[in-house]
Amino acid sequence: MALHVPKAPGFAQMLKDGAMHLSGLEEAVYRNISACKQFSDTVKTAYGPNGMNKIVINHIDKIFITNDAATIVKELDIEHPAAKIIVFASEMQEQEVGDGTNFVIIFAGALLEQAEHLLKMGLTPVEVCEGFQLALEKTLELLPTLTCHEIKDIKNNAEQLVITQAVKSSIMSKQYGQEQFVTDLVLKACTSILPEKTTFNVDNVRVCKILGSNLYNSTVVNGMVFKRTNEGDITKQTDAKIAVYTCPIDITTTETKGTVLIKSAEELQNFSRGEEMVLEEQIKAIADAGVTVIVAGGKFGDMALHYLNKYKIMGVRLMSKFDLRRLCKSVSATALPRLTPPNKEELGYADCVYVDELGDTSLVVFRLDGNDSRMSTIVVRGATDNYMDDIERAIDDGVNTFKGISRDGKLLPGAGAIEMELAYQVGLYADTLPGLEQYGAKRFAVALEGFVKILADNTGVKSNETLAELYSQHSKGNKNAGFNIEPKGSSLIDVTKAGIVDSYLSKFWGLQYATQAACTILKVDQIIMAKRAGGPKAPGGRAPDNDDDA
């Protein structure tokens, strides 16, 4: 008979064998802070224009070479529960602003690092969090007073230079050296589809990556570009009227199974001729409706292609239902579920639909030259897939910055100037607080200083000297003094003259998400992990694509 070993008294005896229970400062809080600091240190070296790239190999062995924190976080399956809270905060930043994910991760890690010093001094987590919250409130109060530009009308030509500076600053952190060319591409794509009444939609700027040549051969096309070839012999249609179908372009099959009894060769000929006649009538009716291009989500049958060539109709097959939807949006067409002639409201229009070839890649281009184009495509060229993926991430940041400016035109000084000014002002504010919260507020200011140190370290400059020089400038009232990453000249720069600006929304939300994540982690005093279920693990799939977002 097996000897029964009693469990240790306390909380652990209520849990199954194999469960974990950690509590107290040493076991729970310091462990969480340590994990978050290590996670934050991983992405610190990727911050700023001189940030280093990371090679990330995900669970299906796909390789990513990037310094984009959002991609690094997304492709790493982080399991630590405290680090996951910072991941959730950075994901919220990505959804809200589309940029500044690295800012959230680094700042949350810096706050937790400063909190560790205070906890070891004897403060409680609640007192530290109160200090952080007071400093955050002061920071959000100061932010609007520190803006260096405000764009009232995004369509105003006089403000195009400031818009260019804002987008360029965002892209510079991903593609330092090529930022001017990529900025021109982004602005050309965004301004060509700027809506009159509704808000700007990021999804309306598409990216098509074609291997070969170099970045400087990339172009912007008003309309859509697909890496496909056409169906049939017709390769070009100008002033094209487009019918979009979600069904195959072929002889329609019956919904129920049936048996046809054929007794002679003549009956067989008449049967197949009847099917052909039905198909020809359908395509003739579509041609009579004025259609010159048919786009389908299903296959084109051989007989259907024969009749398409006969009636001079161009055929294009799109495999993705999302691409079909986007094309409908771009050319103002309605997707039809059956092979019926479209009416005038269901027809789409494009100035030109043609087959092109870039390198050895066949393309189908739907071009809209008018001002009513609702979608634009940036055709990116490059030597490797990884390089083009990184360019796409830089473009995504630029487009999101443009969207942020269209929502809120306030811009802040960049290059670490805004962080240093906030650190200086919050430090002065902390001295006025009477209670123990002042320690938390002071450490909040120290965490803000960290961004300049990271920029200096990544550039290879002595960070402590740079920090002292910047503090001296900001204490004299020079709010726009920032760090100069250029090797020539002084390590300090007037960022408004240099045209380095940050989005107000990015800092506004980033400060809030990082502080909330840090306070949530600090207030955890117990970690209770149930015993893992046996058997194979469930596949770690991502959330399914939402059809409405596509």
Side-chain angles (χ1 to χ4, degrees), residues 134 429-439:
L134 286 170
Y429 167 71
D431 291 334
T432 65
L433 294 172
L436 291 171
E437 299 86 14
Q438 65 173 293
Y439 295 104

Side-chain angles (χ1 to χ4, degrees), residues 7 63 94 194 234 266 283 311 341 415 426-427 454 464 468 523 535 550:
K7 288 183 182 178
I63 297 172
E94 175 73 13
L194 200 58
I234 314 297
E266 190 180 348
I283 290 174
Y311 291 104
V426 170
I454 294 164
N464 288 335
K523 288 181 178 177

Side-chain angles (χ1 to χ4, degrees), residues 46-68:
Y47 186 71
N50 288 329
M52 304 296 282
N53 285 344
K54 313 283 183 194
I55 292 182
V56 179
I57 302 165
N58 71 359
H59 61 291
I60 54 170
D61 285 345
K62 186 177 178 184
I63 297 172
F64 295 84
I65 303 172
T66 181
N67 63 354
D68 180 40

Side-chain angles (χ1 to χ4, degrees), residues 134-147 417-433 441-442 444-446 448-449 470-471 473-480:
L134 286 170
L136 175 66
E137 285 168 23
K138 182 65 178 173
T139 306
L140 298 180
E141 184 188 310
L142 288 167
L143 263 187
T145 65
L146 299 174
T147 53
I418 186 68
E419 286 89 352
M420 278 307 302
E421 181 61 25
L422 287 172
Y424 175 67
Q425 300 264 24
V426 170
L428 295 176
Y429 167 71
D431 291 334
T432 65
L433 294 172
K442 275 194 174 178
F444 189 94
V446 174
L448 281 167
E449 290 169 14
L470 270 174
Y471 245 123
Q473 289 293 322
H474 282 267
S475 62
K476 291 173 187 172
N478 187 0
K479 296 179 181 179
N480 296 327

